[in-house]
Amino acid sequence: MRAVFYVIDLALVLYIWVLIAAVVFSWLVALNVVDARNRAIAMIGESLVRVTEPGLRPIRNAVPKLGGIDISPVILFLIIMFIRYVIALYILPYVY
């Protein structure tokens, strides 16, 4: 049973890294560092959006907009970290 929780933790860590990659990619596109018209870059961006959007969309709908700043990735990051700590501190010690 511990292996299941370790796999869940690994999946959450990987999702955090994908979320960070999506944020950095969106900054690079917004600042014209990378060309979004390039086919390979567009495919990378689309795949990052498809992976992160299901987690970010409910947060974007619930949180009011703060001008041009999108804080939904930060909120999702905090939620994922909270889930990881709950698993590590309250569930995993009691699983044999």
Side-chain angles (χ1 to χ4, degrees):
M1 193 66 179
R2 281 183 175 260
V4 172
F5 288 113
Y6 288 140
V7 169
I8 291 170
D9 185 56
L10 179 64
L12 291 173
V13 169
L14 289 174
Y15 195 77
I16 286 173
W17 283 108
V18 170
L19 185 64
I20 291 170
V23 168
V24 170
F25 184 82
S26 70
W27 289 344
L28 293 176
V29 169
L31 296 173
N32 287 329
V33 175
V34 295
D35 185 16
R37 294 175 297 194
N38 185 345
R39 186 175 180 101
I41 300 296
M43 286 175 49
I44 292 169
E46 184 178 336
S47 63
L48 287 173
V49 167
R50 286 181 185 231
V51 171
T52 58
E53 192 62 27
L56 293 173
R57 188 179 311 120
I59 297 171
R60 286 185 181 137
N61 291 337
V63 175
K65 298 191 186 255
L66 299 172
I69 300 172
D70 184 19
I71 62 166
S72 59
V74 175
I75 295 171
L76 183 60
F77 177 78
L78 293 173
I79 291 170
I80 292 172
M81 293 304 292
F82 176 75
I83 292 169
R84 289 187 65 217
Y85 285 132
V86 166
I87 290 173
L89 296 176
Y90 297 111
I91 298 174
L92 201 55
Y94 302 107
V95 175
Y96 296 107

